[in-house]
Amino acid sequence: MILENDEMLKMFVEESQEHLSDIEDDLLKIESAGEAIDSDLVNKVFRSIHSIKGGAGFFGLEKIKMLGHDMENVLNMVRNRKLIPTMEIVNALLDGADLLNEMVNHAVNSNDVDITEPLTALQAIVNHKPVIQQPDMAETGMVEDGNLKTNEISEVAIETPSIFQPANLDHLHLPFVVDAQIIEKAKSQYEHFYCIRYDLVKDIQEQGRSLREVHRELQQTGAVLGASLNMDADIFPEDTRECILLFATVLEPDFVATLTDVAEGQIQQVSLSPLEPSEANYQPALAEDLSDTEHPPSDSPFPPVLQ
């Protein structure tokens, strides 16, 4: 239930208003540029909408989340040069931004707003797909038979790269490796990165949860980039005490603490730099207080799904 005096909700509203403050000017600049697409500017608008959508999902603001989702789809096609930002397209995005702003300012009642008209306009743009250039399907892994790949959690799925290049994340001392291309994609789409440790007894078993449920909850507001255990498994080695994962999201630390419901000391905000692919064989360097058990390879957990 959403409460008007909820301090975290107020924080979400303030941050969303900040994201929307320049969006009209930015969209008009995108329209003026036409085919000479300014990728940095489009990415800026995309990240703003993505941040609002992520926060909305956290609070159960479904109408804001739905509208943000369809605006993201159009912006994603523009930044990937599958759409020319014509006046028609930009007007649809401006209408969406205006309604987003209105719903954010009245967040408690936003689920009662009729968003049919802007959704219809945005979905029509995506379905028609005016094309600037045909993307390389094998390289993007994002389009199949002319349609965006989708799943029930995230809108754009990124396939595991055919050539695995481990990112240099040695400074994080993770017991798994992550592909450098996945890290690059995450850095372009998410603002915050966390190393989270789940105690399999205290945080999972005693709470009546499963790692599969944890994974689904996290994917609603971000992406699990890697994990020390297969989060789809039902049975783990008896001596395994915890699951360590790398989480990318638009959420600030206070929101992540509430979302994960684990002790503060089990969440660490981290930087993903340096990013260069490691050439040497990776040897997991576990911190003293982490489990000494052997962990499965990085391709064992779910492949990450990025927006």
Side-chain angles (χ1 to χ4, degrees):
M1 182 177 179
I2 301 171
L3 302 178
E4 291 191 45
N5 62 352
D6 188 327
E7 289 300 320
M8 294 183 72
L9 179 59
K10 291 180 180 178
M11 188 185 306
F12 162 73
V13 170
E14 291 172 359
E15 291 178 355
S16 297
Q17 290 171 336
E18 184 176 344
H19 284 305
L20 291 167
S21 61
D22 297 326
I23 201 166
E24 180 177 351
D25 289 340
D26 289 341
L27 286 171
L28 291 175
K29 290 176 183 177
I30 290 171
E31 179 188 346
S32 297
E35 294 188 26
I37 293 171
D38 184 339
S39 298
D40 290 338
L41 188 57
V42 178
N43 281 331
K44 175 190 173 186
V45 176
F46 180 92
R47 284 194 296 269
S48 293
I49 298 300
H50 187 62
S51 295
I52 294 169
K53 190 194 80 169
F58 178 81
F59 288 106
L61 305 173
E62 292 302 318
K63 294 293 184 70
I64 294 178
K65 179 181 174 182
M66 289 169 63
L67 182 54
H69 159 67
D70 280 4
M71 292 180 68
E72 269 188 340
N73 283 346
V74 173
L75 288 164
N76 192 54
M77 295 180 74
V78 172
R79 70 177 183 169
N80 287 319
R81 299 182 178 271
K82 300 168 195 168
L83 282 179
I84 299 172
T86 62
M87 182 173 66
E88 175 192 5
I89 290 171
V90 172
N91 282 344
L93 290 169
L94 286 169
D95 289 343
D98 287 343
L99 187 53
L100 267 186
N101 190 53
E102 181 181 337
M103 289 195 293
V104 163
N105 290 335
H106 303 88
V108 174
N109 300 315
S110 63
N111 283 343
D112 298 327
V113 175
D114 183 2
I115 60 174
T116 304
E117 186 174 343
L119 288 189
T120 300
L122 293 165
Q123 290 167 8
I125 292 170
V126 172
N127 290 335
H128 289 153
K129 296 184 177 68
V131 177
I132 294 177
Q133 61 185 34
Q134 292 295 334
D136 186 331
M137 301 301 117
E139 289 182 359
T140 65
M142 295 166 63
V143 176
E144 187 174 82
D145 297 329
N147 295 310
L148 288 174
K149 289 184 177 179
T150 62
N151 62 35
E152 60 187 17
I153 299 175
S154 299
E155 292 72 33
V156 180
I158 294 181
E159 294 179 345
T160 302
S162 57
I163 301 177
F164 183 86
Q165 289 185 300
N168 183 358
L169 299 177
D170 294 355
H171 62 293
L172 300 183
H173 305 294
L174 299 171
F176 53 85
V177 293
V178 184
D179 188 89
Q181 295 179 52
I182 290 173
I183 295 297
E184 288 179 2
K185 190 69 175 178
K187 290 179 71 174
S188 72
Q189 297 183 357
Y190 294 98
E191 300 177 37
H192 304 288
F193 306 93
Y194 302 90
C195 181
I196 306 174
R197 295 165 50 195
Y198 283 88
D199 185 301
L200 295 182
V201 175
K202 181 182 65 175
D203 302 320
I204 303 299
Q205 182 178 342
E206 291 181 358
Q207 300 300 321
R209 309 169 73 189
S210 69
L211 285 182
R212 184 183 293 106
E213 292 170 343
V214 167
H215 181 265
R216 288 180 60 85
E217 291 171 359
L218 294 176
Q219 291 288 115
Q220 290 179 11
T221 55
V224 176
L225 305 181
S228 61
L229 296 173
N230 184 344
M231 300 185 76
D232 196 26
D234 296 315
I235 300 176
F236 304 105
E238 291 184 3
D239 56 351
T240 303
R241 302 197 322 258
E242 61 189 358
C243 177
I244 306 164
L245 56 86
L246 184 62
F247 179 51
T249 182
V250 298
L251 299 180
E252 299 282 347
D254 289 345
F255 291 96
V256 172
T258 302
L259 173 68
T260 58
D261 196 26
V262 300
E264 182 178 347
Q266 295 171 228
I267 305 172
Q268 180 184 6
Q269 189 166 13
V270 299
S271 169
L272 298 188
S273 298
L275 186 59
E276 295 78 11
S278 301
E279 295 182 359
N281 291 330
Y282 183 85
Q283 296 295 329
L286 299 183
E288 291 182 0
D289 59 345
L290 299 185
S291 172
D292 293 328
T293 60
E294 251 185 330
H295 298 286
S298 61
D299 59 355
S300 176
F302 286 85
V305 178
L306 304 183
Q307 305 295 335

